[in-house]
Amino acid sequence: MNKTATPSRQQGRTEITRARLIQSAEKVFARDGFEAAKLEQIAADAGYTRGAFYANFDSKEDLFFALLEKEIGSRIANLEKEMDKVREPEAKLKAMRNFFLSKALDRRWCLLALEFKLFAVRHPEVKQRLAAMHRRFVGPRVGFLEEVMSAMGRELPASAYATGVSMAALGNMLALEHMLDPAMMPEGDVRGIMSNFIDSLTSAHKKKSTK
């Protein structure tokens, strides 16, 4: 009994440790920036040592990828949950639109995502890993865009992946401009521009006839 219980308890402790390190990393990365963040500070904030960090992650980049998958997974799950509440394609499209608008001014994630992508494009090995993660984790989950559009007799102007990423990218950049000068880029304008952009991608392109 004890021999079978011990690995289970150890696994549970490991999962708790990883979750706490990821939670602390999110806070420290958002406050200090990815490159300036110190592993010792992340570990200490979570109540662990540097050794505990390396027992769970190979590097700071590895930790960020774990945080990235957690955030993307959570967002996709929340979006799917909102879309599952309604049945009509028009209502699903509205739910998707509202979801993207609700995330348009997420200061914390905007800064983290933009900074890490800048870091990635300057480091080939990280860039390669980030692109692979997106293809594996995000690509298969944006098919709902094509499904909703097809049900409405429309088609997207680009692939579902490119369309979804463009919505997120515009949101991040507008949020950055809002943080820089909210007087010139007020919250209402951010939401208005995002709303028009999403509408232009999902309403102006009629599905081509197969005849």
Side-chain angles (χ1 to χ4, degrees):
M1 179 79 65
N2 290 338
K3 289 184 179 179
T4 58
T6 299
S8 178
R9 288 198 297 269
Q10 180 61 40
Q11 182 180 0
R13 286 196 294 270
T14 298
E15 290 174 355
I16 291 172
T17 301
R18 283 179 62 88
R20 287 178 177 172
L21 286 168
I22 291 171
Q23 184 177 24
S24 293
E26 182 176 4
K27 181 169 66 176
V28 175
F29 285 153
R31 185 190 66 211
D32 301 339
F34 172 76
E35 294 199 74
K38 304 297 183 185
L39 296 181
E40 294 85 355
Q41 196 162 14
I42 293 172
D45 183 82
Y48 299 110
T49 64
R50 183 184 178 95
F53 172 87
Y54 281 112
N56 289 274
F57 300 100
D58 293 333
S59 63
K60 187 164 63 171
E61 291 86 351
D62 192 37
L63 175 58
F64 194 91
F65 275 107
L67 171 60
L68 187 60
E69 290 206 18
K70 172 180 172 290
E71 179 70 15
I72 293 174
S74 175
R75 291 193 174 205
I76 290 175
N78 288 334
L79 174 57
E80 290 175 341
K81 182 178 178 181
E82 290 303 309
M83 293 182 72
D84 285 344
K85 291 179 181 178
V86 294
R87 299 187 64 179
E88 295 300 319
E90 293 83 357
K92 288 183 177 292
L93 183 60
K94 182 178 180 181
M96 181 208 71
R97 181 177 179 273
N98 290 341
F99 179 83
F100 273 97
L101 291 177
S102 73
K103 301 297 182 182
L105 290 166
D106 187 341
R107 179 185 186 278
R108 169 192 61 90
W109 191 250
C110 164
L111 292 175
L112 285 174
L114 289 174
E115 184 183 13
F116 190 68
K117 285 180 180 178
L118 286 172
F119 175 82
V121 297
R122 295 189 179 101
H123 297 80
E125 68 286 354
V126 180
K127 175 185 174 182
Q128 200 170 44
R129 185 179 176 185
L130 182 60
M133 193 216 78
H134 269 263
R135 286 193 297 270
R136 172 178 59 84
F137 200 73
V138 181
R141 292 172 170 83
V142 292
F144 67 86
L145 279 170
E146 288 179 328
E147 292 172 8
V148 170
M149 292 290 284
S150 179
M152 297 173 66
R154 305 172 187 171
E155 65 177 6
L156 295 168
S159 70
Y161 178 84
T163 303
V165 169
S166 68
M167 292 179 189
L170 179 62
N172 284 338
M173 291 309 300
L174 290 176
L176 185 63
E177 295 299 331
H178 171 72
M179 284 182 269
L180 179 65
D181 192 344
M184 293 296 290
M185 181 59 77
E187 181 176 332
D189 285 350
V190 171
R191 296 188 186 280
I193 293 169
M194 277 294 297
S195 180
N196 287 330
F197 180 68
I198 294 172
D199 288 346
S200 73
L201 291 175
T202 58
S203 64
H205 302 268
K206 296 297 182 181
K207 191 172 183 179
K208 296 176 183 176
S209 174
T210 55
K211 294 182 179 179

